[in-house]
Amino acid sequence: MKAAVWHAKRDIRVEDIPQPPDPRPDEVTVKVHWTGICGSDLHEYTAGPIFIPTETPNPLTGKVAPLVLGHEFSGEIAAAGKDVTNVKVGDLIAGDAPMHCGDCEPCKIGRYNICDSLAFVGLMGDGAFAEYVNIPSYAAFPLPEEVGTDAAALVEPIGVACNTVRRSGISLGNSVAVIGAGPIGLLHLQAAKAAGADQTFVLEIADVRKEFAKNLGATMVLDPNETDVVQAIKDNTGGLGVDVVIECVGGDECDGPTVPVGLSILRRGGRMMVAGIFEKNVEINPNELVFFEKQLWGCLSATPKDVEAAVSLLKENKIQADPMITGRIKVDDIVEKGFEELLANRHKNLKIIVTPQ
Amino acid sequence: MKAAVWHAKRDIRVEDIPQPPDPRPDEVTVKVHWTGICGSDLHEYTAGPIFIPTETPNPLTGKVAPLVLGHEFSGEIAAAGKDVTNVKVGDLIAGDAPMHCGDCEPCKIGRYNICDSLAFVGLMGDGAFAEYVNIPSYAAFPLPEEVGTDAAALVEPIGVACNTVRRSGISLGNSVAVIGAGPIGLLHLQAAKAAGADQTFVLEIADVRKEFAKNLGATMVLDPNETDVVQAIKDNTGGLGVDVVIECVGGDECDGPTVPVGLSILRRGGRMMVAGIFEKNVEINPNELVFFEKQLWGCLSATPKDVEAAVSLLKENKIQADPMITGRIKVDDIVEKGFEELLANRHKNLKIIVTPQ
């Protein structure tokens, strides 16, 4: 079958590889329809290996590079192991990325997303930029007929936004600031609104992304290069700052001090959720936390109940995926029209989805 | 009356000053029995002004230096304003430090300790290293007969520990690490145990304070200069790390990287409470928060319900104050036997209490 295989940094090859074996008793084989290119995939392309195991096989999957990338995907169940009960052959499904052990302390209390042995499909094991992929059956979520498999390629990142928003406690009437209007930021914006957020501020510097944020319902879009963001948010929240900040940028040399900025736009007693991945350390003033009893929470991936919520939100049209899909390409073109396009036109694109068909 | 008055850094004078005026309708005049010297007082002595207003009068109190220090105190109600209902003349009380406006958003939801106009008795207004002090009546907490006014000088810092522990969610069976076994650290240790913590680890480098931590019931006392603290805590928590870390050090040039160390001994999904005050910024790796969904919370002072809890804990002997009182001095000696003694023998002393009588 055809697949996009990560061999090394800047070396992703579209190759003909063997189909996955028959699924194990608790696995399914998915015939892939669409797979989104995620920021993590881009990081593996430009700066990897980050998550990808290259020497020691991943303990959960036994895999080592080269491996097939791709973890935001949808498709049809092509085969199901004998113990599988939640889906059957022919079902259309969205796939979830995290795989967990089920035995460790976090798993025992349902926090599968911080499993001691957490591994991601398409990063620590073969993924979905391929005609077929094998996944644990618990990572397959049946789609209602209202949700097409193209939009369903965004179920995984929508689940991520659901985890962040659920844990943040955002509810009716809250004010929320989202830092960064990339795909993850825009999904967090929509998830916050779906959870009842009243005022929503989006901080973004790229014009195209500012437009997306407005179109997806942000109350106010603020450009830190043009506006005194702290003052603007104070002026619009009765001097208080927002209840919740969601950081969706992470940071490297090119990015700003999103954590200190986030803390400074937060009200006393407020909560800042960090969903971005960082390439270097960050300096904070702990007194900013102490004097105002602010909180800084890390957020990772999603639990199965967040992915179920994501499917419902898409079904009920409370989160829009279609406007966020800015490119649909074939796996043959994944390097040129996918990775290279995203790098060259970072701010023009949001989500590019890929089909192996 | 006699009082210890802060004029400037390294300039605290014991002077004869006028008694406070008659209390306002909602105030009481306290005849002071005992007042503890707090780390904040020491900071004002060595490096102030920090909290003390020197040019612009504090908006809530109207005060500017010189002013009387002292905010951890007990005494007897000598006079009560006409609207006061919670205490009467002759009552023995513990005093609380924070004064609040009652009108701002945090006050409206009971979070008086992060009031927009928060001010502390003895830092932003005249305090209790004096024969008499006027305070708002809500800051006076009647003492049960089991609690002496010497131990009651610790009610304010015990309230601080109650606020941290209550917000941390520490409950039955939890594992807790306290960083620093100064007065605040040891009170947090005791409060965590009173809230049901099972295993308690204390990180401390000074021998005398290590002994105090053991005597006050720490399961294990670890010296970061002698032990691989991360490994030791892993070994004693089934490889997990602790549920809650409480930072009671803060930091300046002499102190270690307590925030990164705290995050590294925290279990996945755990919560680190920062109660220390910092003199400079701190570098953290946000991925340590993100990859393991850890949380970093700032904690400040206490609400009235925490101070009520503090009085009960003393009454029920669930927190011991007496062993922590390492010195009892007269206000005449406050500089030599108080501030200078604490600086010279920082690790030998815990709480020195002062009487103006």
Side-chain angles (χ1 to χ4, degrees), chain A:
Chain A
M1 66 174 185
K2 206 179 280 179
V5 179
W6 188 96
H7 285 261
K9 180 166 70 170
R10 298 269 176 191
D11 183 8
I12 291 174
R13 304 178 201 163
V14 179
E15 297 177 325
D16 195 46
I17 62 168
Q19 285 196 15
D22 285 344
R24 289 190 306 229
D26 59 350
E27 279 186 340
V28 292
T29 300
V30 180
K31 181 174 161 62
V32 176
H33 283 200
W34 291 101
T35 308
I37 300 179
C38 171
S40 314
D41 300 323
L42 210 55
H43 270 73
E44 297 290 352
Y45 180 64
T46 58
I50 296 165
F51 286 111
I52 295 174
T54 52
E55 290 174 9
T56 314
N58 178 276
L60 206 66
T61 67
K63 272 297 287 192
V64 70
L67 56 72
V68 181
L69 275 184
H71 62 272
E72 301 181 352
F73 61 101
S74 64
E76 182 183 336
I77 302 292
K82 71 179 176 54
D83 297 343
V84 174
T85 56
N86 63 321
V87 288
K88 60 183 189 306
V89 172
D91 282 355
L92 295 179
I93 61 105
D96 192 18
M99 296 178 285
H100 54 260
C101 73
D103 285 329
C104 68
E105 291 297 317
C107 281
K108 282 177 191 163
I109 56 168
R111 296 191 66 176
Y112 302 107
N113 56 326
I114 48 171
C115 166
D116 286 352
S117 310
L118 188 68
F120 292 103
V121 171
L123 288 167
M124 287 87 145
D126 278 324
F129 291 130
E131 292 179 59
Y132 294 93
V133 60
N134 279 3
I135 59 171
S137 61
Y138 62 71
F141 291 79
L143 292 175
E145 61 185 15
E146 296 89 340
V147 180
T149 51
D150 47 359
L154 276 80
V155 161
E156 194 270 353
I158 296 170
V160 172
C162 291
N163 173 57
T164 306
V165 168
R166 177 174 55 81
R167 293 178 64 241
S168 76
I170 290 170
S171 188
L172 301 178
N174 282 145
S175 56
V176 177
V178 175
I179 305 181
I184 284 289
L186 292 170
L187 291 175
H188 278 84
L189 166 66
Q190 295 190 68
K193 289 174 65 75
D198 178 9
Q199 282 183 298
T200 50
F201 303 89
V202 172
L203 279 59
E204 173 59 53
I205 53 172
D207 288 338
V208 180
R209 292 182 168 194
K210 288 186 214 171
E211 279 306 307
F212 274 111
K214 278 180 206 154
N215 294 339
L216 290 169
T219 314
M220 195 172 289
V221 180
L222 300 166
D223 183 336
N225 290 343
E226 293 171 0
T227 308
D228 179 342
V229 171
V230 178
Q231 194 57 49
I233 287 182
K234 266 197 165 172
D235 290 346
N236 285 282
T237 54
L240 297 176
V242 293
D243 297 309
V244 173
V245 171
I246 305 176
E247 201 279 355
C248 298
V249 175
D252 55 28
E253 285 73 40
C254 355
D255 297 305
T258 54
V259 177
V261 166
L263 290 176
S264 66
I265 58 177
L266 200 58
R267 72 163 167 81
R268 289 163 189 251
R271 189 173 288 175
M272 175 165 175
M273 314 299 286
V274 183
I277 304 291
F278 289 72
E279 292 184 5
K280 57 176 188 175
N281 286 354
V282 161
E283 210 175 270
I284 62 166
N285 178 356
N287 293 346
E288 180 79 20
L289 294 170
V290 173
F291 289 172
F292 310 108
E293 294 206 328
K294 294 178 179 178
Q295 304 171 8
L296 191 60
W297 293 38
C299 307
L300 182 75
S301 189
T303 66
K305 74 173 168 183
D306 300 305
V307 183
E308 281 171 20
V311 172
S312 291
L313 288 167
L314 273 179
K315 178 186 170 186
E316 292 163 20
N317 217 23
K318 289 185 179 164
I319 286 191
Q320 298 178 56
D322 290 333
M324 295 184 51
I325 299 172
T326 54
R328 293 162 193 256
I329 63 174
K330 288 180 180 296
V331 75
D332 298 283
D333 301 323
I334 196 169
V335 175
E336 273 316 299
K337 296 188 180 169
F339 292 101
E340 291 296 338
E341 167 64 19
L342 285 167
L343 289 175
N345 298 300
R346 187 183 167 200
H347 293 309
K348 210 181 73 184
N349 293 289
L350 282 174
K351 188 57 73 182
I352 293 177
I353 61 174
V354 182
T355 178
Q357 308 305 324

Side-chain angles (χ1 to χ4, degrees), chain B residues 149-226:
Chain B
T149 51
D150 47 357
L154 276 80
V155 161
E156 194 268 356
I158 297 171
V160 173
C162 291
N163 173 55
T164 307
V165 168
R166 177 175 54 80
R167 294 178 63 241
S168 75
I170 289 171
S171 189
L172 303 178
N174 281 145
S175 57
V176 177
V178 175
I179 304 181
I184 284 290
L186 292 170
L187 292 174
H188 278 84
L189 166 66
Q190 294 189 70
K193 289 174 64 75
D198 180 9
Q199 282 183 299
T200 49
F201 302 89
V202 172
L203 278 59
E204 174 59 54
I205 52 173
D207 287 337
V208 180
R209 294 184 167 193
K210 289 186 213 170
E211 279 306 307
F212 275 111
K214 278 180 205 154
N215 294 339
L216 290 169
T219 315
M220 195 172 288
V221 180
L222 301 166
D223 183 336
N225 290 343
E226 294 172 359

Side-chain angles (χ1 to χ4, degrees), chain B:
Chain B
M1 66 173 185
K2 205 177 279 175
V5 180
W6 188 95
H7 286 262
K9 181 165 71 171
R10 297 270 175 190
D11 183 8
I12 291 174
R13 304 177 203 164
V14 179
E15 297 177 325
D16 195 45
I17 62 167
Q19 285 195 15
D22 286 343
R24 290 189 307 228
D26 58 350
E27 278 186 341
V28 293
T29 301
V30 180
K31 180 174 160 63
V32 176
H33 284 200
W34 291 101
T35 307
I37 301 178
C38 170
S40 313
D41 300 323
L42 210 55
H43 270 73
E44 297 291 350
Y45 180 62
T46 58
I50 296 164
F51 286 111
I52 295 174
T54 51
E55 291 174 8
T56 313
N58 177 276
L60 207 66
T61 66
K63 275 295 286 190
V64 71
L67 56 72
V68 182
L69 274 184
H71 63 272
E72 302 181 353
F73 61 103
S74 64
E76 182 182 335
I77 302 292
K82 69 176 178 58
D83 297 343
V84 173
T85 56
N86 63 321
V87 288
K88 59 183 189 307
V89 172
D91 282 356
L92 296 178
I93 61 104
D96 193 19
M99 295 178 286
H100 54 259
C101 72
D103 286 329
C104 68
E105 291 297 316
C107 281
K108 282 177 190 160
I109 56 167
R111 296 191 66 175
Y112 302 106
N113 57 325
I114 49 172
C115 166
D116 286 352
S117 309
L118 188 69
F120 293 103
V121 171
L123 287 167
M124 288 87 147
D126 277 325
F129 290 131
E131 292 179 58
Y132 294 93
V133 60
N134 280 2
I135 58 171
S137 61
Y138 61 70
F141 293 79
L143 292 175
E145 60 184 15
E146 296 88 339
V147 180
T149 51
D150 47 357
L154 276 80
V155 161
E156 194 268 356
I158 297 171
V160 173
C162 291
N163 173 55
T164 307
V165 168
R166 177 175 54 80
R167 294 178 63 241
S168 75
I170 289 171
S171 189
L172 303 178
N174 281 145
S175 57
V176 177
V178 175
I179 304 181
I184 284 290
L186 292 170
L187 292 174
H188 278 84
L189 166 66
Q190 294 189 70
K193 289 174 64 75
D198 180 9
Q199 282 183 299
T200 49
F201 302 89
V202 172
L203 278 59
E204 174 59 54
I205 52 173
D207 287 337
V208 180
R209 294 184 167 193
K210 289 186 213 170
E211 279 306 307
F212 275 111
K214 278 180 205 154
N215 294 339
L216 290 169
T219 315
M220 195 172 288
V221 180
L222 301 166
D223 183 336
N225 290 343
E226 294 172 359
T227 308
D228 178 341
V229 170
V230 178
Q231 193 58 47
I233 288 181
K234 266 197 165 172
D235 289 346
N236 286 281
T237 54
L240 297 176
V242 293
D243 296 309
V244 173
V245 171
I246 305 177
E247 202 278 354
C248 297
V249 175
D252 54 26
E253 285 73 41
C254 354
D255 297 304
T258 54
V259 177
V261 167
L263 290 176
S264 66
I265 60 177
L266 201 57
R267 72 163 169 79
R268 287 163 190 252
R271 187 173 291 174
M272 175 165 176
M273 314 299 286
V274 183
I277 304 291
F278 288 73
E279 292 185 4
K280 56 176 191 176
N281 287 353
V282 161
E283 210 176 89
I284 62 166
N285 178 356
N287 292 346
E288 180 79 21
L289 294 170
V290 174
F291 289 172
F292 310 108
E293 292 204 331
K294 294 179 180 178
Q295 305 171 8
L296 191 60
W297 293 39
C299 307
L300 183 75
S301 190
T303 66
K305 73 173 169 181
D306 300 306
V307 183
E308 283 171 18
V311 173
S312 292
L313 288 167
L314 274 179
K315 178 185 169 186
E316 293 164 18
N317 217 22
K318 289 185 179 165
I319 285 191
Q320 297 178 56
D322 290 332
M324 293 183 52
I325 299 172
T326 54
R328 291 161 194 259
I329 64 174
K330 287 179 181 299
V331 74
D332 298 282
D333 302 324
I334 195 169
V335 176
E336 273 316 298
K337 295 188 181 169
F339 291 103
E340 290 296 339
E341 167 65 19
L342 284 168
L343 289 174
N345 298 299
R346 186 182 168 201
H347 293 310
K348 209 181 73 184
N349 293 290
L350 281 175
K351 187 58 73 183
I352 293 178
I353 62 173
V354 181
T355 178
Q357 308 304 327

